[in-house]
Amino acid sequence: MSAILPHPATDLIASHPLLRPWLARPYPAVMGILNVTPDSFSDGGRFNAPDRAIEQAKAMIAAGADIIDIGAESTRPYKGAEPVSADEELARLRPVLAEIVALDVPVSIDSMKSRVVDFALDHGARIANDVWGLQRDPAMAEVVAAHGAPVVVMHNRDAVDPEIDIIDDMLRFFARSLDIAAKAGIPVGNVVLDPGIGFGKTPQQSMTALARLDAFARFGLPLLVGASRKRFISTVVASEPRERLGGSIAAHLIAARHGAAIIRAHDVAETVQAVRVAASIEALG
């Protein structure tokens, strides 16, 4: 039976010291999602008050989160997200960032705006998480390079096209992102790839991306997968976002089996338990 992480750390490029310990473990790191927004698809409005956001970060850390991923603009993968200015995004971020950074667990900034990422990295965040894979904001790659931070490069599309070969599209997208990163001076070992489950994809294409994660092993880079509460789950079993825990865990365990080094999740305690128990069982097989 295959191990939960089939690619040992020595097979992956990871020069950044923040990434190396996670790759050396037999189970993925868990990134806890913290949306300080009023309109995120699953938990919009629950944590946009600073005191609630900070308490949620503490709860996720107590539950075993290795990373806290803070987003101050909804990047929901479905219609209805309201774009906000960098000023508004920063206004949401400033009241919580310092206190969450002080909790001494690495903080990731989930933003497509280089100005926001620059501010967050200047104030203690350690990872950039760009849902447009360095391809939307022309200054993003330079900002990340200047900070020497790891960056999550996510696949995305402006529009869903059910006729395309989604894996081929993703491979070409990642190749472009890596070229942008290299030209900006981002070491390849600082890059984490994210297939962007639910973003610019039909539900079937999202499931195909999960089933074929091995296709991205050719890049030799760590993978981050965030299938938490995504809509594809409801196409298998009808459910609202907060009713999709079982489907989220199923998708994340499959992702771990196919090489995901980081799992991005809303339900941290359950996800931590699932990936660690699965790894312990498989180690005896």
Side-chain angles (χ1 to χ4, degrees), residues 113-174:
K113 298 182 183 72
S114 59
R115 183 179 159 206
V116 175
V117 169
D118 190 41
F119 171 85
L121 294 176
D122 266 341
H123 289 81
R126 299 185 65 190
I127 302 169
N129 183 6
D130 182 6
V131 298
W132 278 101
L134 307 177
Q135 296 186 35
R136 182 52 58 96
D137 183 331
M140 184 69 81
E142 286 75 13
V143 165
V144 172
H147 286 278
V151 59
V152 178
V153 166
M154 196 190 85
H155 173 266
N156 211 334
R157 292 178 52 82
D158 283 309
V160 173
D161 183 350
E163 302 303 317
I164 64 170
D165 179 336
I166 195 63
I167 301 300
D168 180 65
D169 189 80
M170 295 165 74
L171 291 170
R172 288 186 286 108
F173 182 99
F174 287 144

Side-chain angles (χ1 to χ4, degrees), residues 40-58:
S40 293
F41 84 97
S42 174
D43 56 5
R46 291 191 67 206
F47 308 116
N48 57 332
D51 57 340
R52 292 203 301 268
I54 293 162
E55 286 308 308
Q56 176 65 0
K58 290 177 180 177

